[in-house]
Amino acid sequence: MVGYGIQSMLKDGHKHLSGLDEAVLKNIGAGRELSAITRTSLGPNGMNKMVINHLDKLFITNDAATIVNELEVQHPAAKLLVLAARAQQEEIGDGANLTISFAGELLEKAEELIRMGLHPSEIIIGYTKAINKTLEILDDLVEKGSENMDVRNREEVVLRMKSAVASKQFGQEDVLCPLVADACIQVCPQNPGNFNVDNVRVAKLVGGGLHNSSVVRGMVLKNDAVGSIKKVEKVKVAVFAGGVDTSATETKGTVLIHSAEQLENYAKTEEAKVEELIKSVADSGAKVIVSGAAVGDMALHFCERYKLMVLKVSSKFELRRFCRTTGAIALLKLSRPNVDELGYADYVSVEEIGGARVTVVKNEEGGNSVATVVLRGSTDSILDDLERAVDDGVNTYKSMCRDSRIIPGAAATEIELAKRLKEFSLKETG
């Protein structure tokens, strides 16, 4: 039997939901379910959730953005809320939970109105009026004098960052905020509006406690130096993205060797070639070689001979940040770098922090563009949660640089808005 109407247009096995009970209320129900999950994690005393994602990785957190990202939400209407939370997290860096809880609450109120017989579009018009009015009222509630703020003043920064960090790590904010504030102020550019969140890095090292955490001006790489040289100061740095190794030639050829001398010389020419390359790098003034891929044994031998420190950075993002820290340019193949392609570091050294060997690259004179917060904690999940708190702090700093106006906290603003909106709604007709 040939389908008719909408069935002739869609493929077999489709579902077509319409009307109030099937479509609208089901979608509202899904949104409310999602907001009920995250609601109990709202605020500093919110409960932690345990989420195990599809890769069996365990998350224990009260950060709503992480929770909704790891729950693989299938329902399309609930997915909209997840996207809203994600947008909030990327734009402001905090408040994802409020976004979801508030949306769920609005949906719940809308459901009652729909059951009373209002049309969804009428409800939307009402909500739109309310939001426009809210934005008007908000401007009245701003604390006076808060619009001009010195973003390089540590006390002011800590004061404003506290609430964002406390909502993730309640009770730890007095330790965390100064760390985050120091890191942000160090990398704040001349025009604070250009502050880049990516310039504050986090290095998580298991062991110790939060009070062992510190801020490093520069980068902390979570691996040891290759080779025996572990510490250098005031050095030039050469960065090779492709790795430090002998490259095999493209063409294949057969070599006929007639005598023992030829065999000896054949092996020597390869050595001589590698030595020549490494020597040319050493002659350019570089004392540290950073490799983006493997470091060959023979190359390493000559690096030791010419007293070069060798670091291996496997992630290409880390390599870019390293270049940003030192001002170096990553070269594709092993060759003699020009003077302007070399970077500079005040101090490169391998240090042991809590049993883990890390390489600290400091660059305090050459205009510091990257700062690292070294976090310590007893387990991985605690460290992950601390990292989210730091992330919120850094994002708060970014918003501060753009617009430093503040309004009263602890829901005082929200209650005042509710009161004024109620007065406003009584005057409206319809």
Short mmCIF file of all heavy atoms in Angstrom, two decimals, residues 402-428:
data_model
loop_
_atom_site.label_atom_id
_atom_site.label_comp_id
_atom_site.label_asym_id
_atom_site.label_seq_id
_atom_site.Cartn_x
_atom_site.Cartn_y
_atom_site.Cartn_z
N ARG A 402 37.57 42.42 29.73
CA ARG A 402 36.67 43.00 28.74
C ARG A 402 35.68 43.96 29.37
O ARG A 402 35.35 44.99 28.81
CB ARG A 402 35.89 41.89 28.03
CG ARG A 402 36.79 41.03 27.18
CD ARG A 402 35.95 40.02 26.45
NE ARG A 402 36.80 39.13 25.67
CZ ARG A 402 36.34 38.03 25.11
NH1 ARG A 402 35.07 37.71 25.24
NH2 ARG A 402 37.14 37.25 24.41
N ASP A 403 35.14 43.57 30.54
CA ASP A 403 34.13 44.40 31.18
C ASP A 403 34.21 44.12 32.66
O ASP A 403 33.92 43.02 33.10
CB ASP A 403 32.75 44.02 30.63
CG ASP A 403 31.65 44.88 31.25
OD1 ASP A 403 32.00 45.73 32.09
OD2 ASP A 403 30.48 44.71 30.89
N SER A 404 34.62 45.11 33.45
CA SER A 404 34.91 44.80 34.86
C SER A 404 33.76 45.20 35.78
O SER A 404 33.94 45.27 36.98
CB SER A 404 36.18 45.52 35.29
OG SER A 404 35.94 46.92 35.27
N ARG A 405 32.58 45.47 35.23
CA ARG A 405 31.48 45.87 36.12
C ARG A 405 31.04 44.67 36.97
O ARG A 405 31.02 43.54 36.49
CB ARG A 405 30.29 46.37 35.30
CG ARG A 405 30.59 47.68 34.61
CD ARG A 405 29.44 48.15 33.77
NE ARG A 405 29.11 47.18 32.74
CZ ARG A 405 28.06 47.32 31.93
NH1 ARG A 405 27.26 48.35 32.04
NH2 ARG A 405 27.81 46.40 31.01
N ILE A 406 30.69 44.94 38.24
CA ILE A 406 30.24 43.84 39.10
C ILE A 406 28.87 44.19 39.69
O ILE A 406 28.52 45.36 39.82
CB ILE A 406 31.22 43.51 40.24
CG1 ILE A 406 31.67 44.77 40.96
CG2 ILE A 406 32.40 42.73 39.74
CD1 ILE A 406 32.60 44.52 42.13
N ILE A 407 28.11 43.15 40.05
CA ILE A 407 26.82 43.33 40.70
C ILE A 407 26.85 42.51 41.98
O ILE A 407 27.68 41.61 42.12
CB ILE A 407 25.67 42.86 39.79
CG1 ILE A 407 25.94 41.44 39.29
CG2 ILE A 407 25.46 43.80 38.63
CD1 ILE A 407 24.82 40.86 38.50
N PRO A 408 25.98 42.81 42.94
CA PRO A 408 26.00 42.06 44.21
C PRO A 408 25.80 40.57 43.97
O PRO A 408 25.06 40.18 43.07
CB PRO A 408 24.80 42.65 44.97
CG PRO A 408 24.57 43.97 44.37
CD PRO A 408 24.98 43.89 42.95
N GLY A 409 26.46 39.75 44.78
CA GLY A 409 26.42 38.31 44.57
C GLY A 409 25.46 37.62 45.52
O GLY A 409 24.58 38.25 46.11
N ALA A 410 25.67 36.32 45.69
CA ALA A 410 24.88 35.49 46.61
C ALA A 410 23.39 35.60 46.32
O ALA A 410 22.56 35.68 47.21
CB ALA A 410 25.16 35.86 48.06
N ALA A 411 23.05 35.64 45.01
CA ALA A 411 21.65 35.64 44.56
C ALA A 411 20.89 36.90 44.92
O ALA A 411 19.69 36.99 44.69
CB ALA A 411 20.90 34.42 45.08
N ALA A 412 21.57 37.91 45.50
CA ALA A 412 20.87 39.16 45.83
C ALA A 412 20.33 39.81 44.56
O ALA A 412 19.20 40.29 44.52
CB ALA A 412 21.83 40.10 46.54
N THR A 413 21.17 39.80 43.52
CA THR A 413 20.77 40.40 42.25
C THR A 413 19.56 39.68 41.67
O THR A 413 18.60 40.32 41.22
CB THR A 413 21.94 40.29 41.25
OG1 THR A 413 23.09 40.81 41.87
CG2 THR A 413 21.64 41.10 40.00
N GLU A 414 19.60 38.35 41.72
CA GLU A 414 18.52 37.57 41.12
C GLU A 414 17.20 37.85 41.82
O GLU A 414 16.15 37.98 41.18
CB GLU A 414 18.85 36.07 41.19
CG GLU A 414 19.89 35.60 40.18
CD GLU A 414 21.31 35.82 40.66
OE1 GLU A 414 21.51 36.60 41.62
OE2 GLU A 414 22.22 35.22 40.09
N ILE A 415 17.23 37.97 43.17
CA ILE A 415 15.99 38.20 43.91
C ILE A 415 15.44 39.59 43.59
O ILE A 415 14.24 39.78 43.39
CB ILE A 415 16.24 38.02 45.43
CG1 ILE A 415 16.56 36.54 45.71
CG2 ILE A 415 15.04 38.46 46.24
CD1 ILE A 415 16.99 36.26 47.10
N GLU A 416 16.35 40.56 43.50
CA GLU A 416 15.93 41.92 43.17
C GLU A 416 15.29 41.95 41.77
O GLU A 416 14.25 42.58 41.56
CB GLU A 416 17.15 42.85 43.25
CG GLU A 416 16.89 44.30 42.89
CD GLU A 416 15.91 44.99 43.84
OE1 GLU A 416 15.75 44.55 45.00
OE2 GLU A 416 15.31 45.98 43.39
N LEU A 417 15.93 41.24 40.82
CA LEU A 417 15.38 41.17 39.46
C LEU A 417 13.98 40.56 39.49
O LEU A 417 13.06 41.04 38.83
CB LEU A 417 16.28 40.33 38.55
CG LEU A 417 17.55 40.99 38.06
CD1 LEU A 417 18.43 39.97 37.35
CD2 LEU A 417 17.24 42.13 37.11
N ALA A 418 13.83 39.49 40.27
CA ALA A 418 12.54 38.81 40.33
C ALA A 418 11.46 39.76 40.86
O ALA A 418 10.35 39.82 40.35
CB ALA A 418 12.64 37.58 41.22
N LYS A 419 11.84 40.54 41.90
CA LYS A 419 10.87 41.47 42.48
C LYS A 419 10.43 42.50 41.44
O LYS A 419 9.25 42.76 41.24
CB LYS A 419 11.50 42.17 43.70
CG LYS A 419 11.07 41.55 45.02
CD LYS A 419 11.88 42.10 46.19
CE LYS A 419 11.80 43.62 46.32
NZ LYS A 419 12.65 44.10 47.44
N ARG A 420 11.45 43.08 40.76
CA ARG A 420 11.11 44.15 39.81
C ARG A 420 10.36 43.62 38.61
O ARG A 420 9.50 44.30 38.07
CB ARG A 420 12.39 44.84 39.35
CG ARG A 420 13.08 45.57 40.50
CD ARG A 420 13.94 46.68 39.96
NE ARG A 420 14.82 47.19 40.98
CZ ARG A 420 15.71 48.15 40.77
NH1 ARG A 420 15.83 48.66 39.55
NH2 ARG A 420 16.47 48.59 41.74
N LEU A 421 10.69 42.41 38.18
CA LEU A 421 9.99 41.84 37.03
C LEU A 421 8.53 41.55 37.39
O LEU A 421 7.63 41.68 36.57
CB LEU A 421 10.66 40.53 36.58
CG LEU A 421 11.85 40.70 35.65
CD1 LEU A 421 12.43 39.34 35.29
CD2 LEU A 421 11.46 41.42 34.37
N LYS A 422 8.32 41.16 38.66
CA LYS A 422 6.95 40.88 39.08
C LYS A 422 6.12 42.16 39.03
O LYS A 422 4.98 42.17 38.52
CB LYS A 422 6.96 40.30 40.50
CG LYS A 422 5.64 39.72 40.89
CD LYS A 422 5.81 38.60 41.91
CE LYS A 422 4.53 37.78 41.94
NZ LYS A 422 4.61 36.68 42.86
N GLU A 423 6.71 43.26 39.53
CA GLU A 423 6.01 44.55 39.47
C GLU A 423 5.70 44.90 38.01
O GLU A 423 4.61 45.35 37.67
CB GLU A 423 6.87 45.66 40.08
CG GLU A 423 7.00 45.57 41.59
CD GLU A 423 8.12 46.47 42.11
OE1 GLU A 423 8.60 47.34 41.34
OE2 GLU A 423 8.52 46.30 43.28
N PHE A 424 6.72 44.66 37.15
CA PHE A 424 6.56 45.00 35.73
C PHE A 424 5.45 44.17 35.10
O PHE A 424 4.65 44.64 34.32
CB PHE A 424 7.92 44.76 35.02
CG PHE A 424 7.88 44.88 33.54
CD1 PHE A 424 7.59 46.09 32.93
CD2 PHE A 424 8.14 43.78 32.74
CE1 PHE A 424 7.57 46.21 31.55
CE2 PHE A 424 8.12 43.89 31.36
CZ PHE A 424 7.83 45.11 30.76
N SER A 425 5.38 42.86 35.51
CA SER A 425 4.43 41.96 34.86
C SER A 425 2.99 42.33 35.24
O SER A 425 2.06 42.11 34.47
CB SER A 425 4.71 40.52 35.28
OG SER A 425 4.42 40.36 36.64
N LEU A 426 2.80 42.92 36.42
CA LEU A 426 1.45 43.28 36.83
C LEU A 426 0.92 44.45 35.99
O LEU A 426 -0.28 44.61 35.81
CB LEU A 426 1.41 43.63 38.32
CG LEU A 426 1.75 42.45 39.24
CD1 LEU A 426 1.84 42.90 40.69
CD2 LEU A 426 0.73 41.33 39.12
N LYS A 427 1.85 45.28 35.49
CA LYS A 427 1.43 46.43 34.69
C LYS A 427 1.14 46.03 33.24
O LYS A 427 0.42 46.72 32.54
CB LYS A 427 2.55 47.50 34.69
CG LYS A 427 2.79 48.11 36.05
CD LYS A 427 3.98 49.05 36.00
CE LYS A 427 4.44 49.41 37.40
NZ LYS A 427 5.83 49.91 37.41
N GLU A 428 1.73 44.92 32.79
CA GLU A 428 1.53 44.50 31.40
C GLU A 428 0.14 43.90 31.22
O GLU A 428 -0.38 43.26 32.12
CB GLU A 428 2.58 43.44 31.01
CG GLU A 428 3.95 44.01 30.75
CD GLU A 428 4.02 44.78 29.44
OE1 GLU A 428 3.77 44.17 28.40
OE2 GLU A 428 4.33 45.98 29.48
#
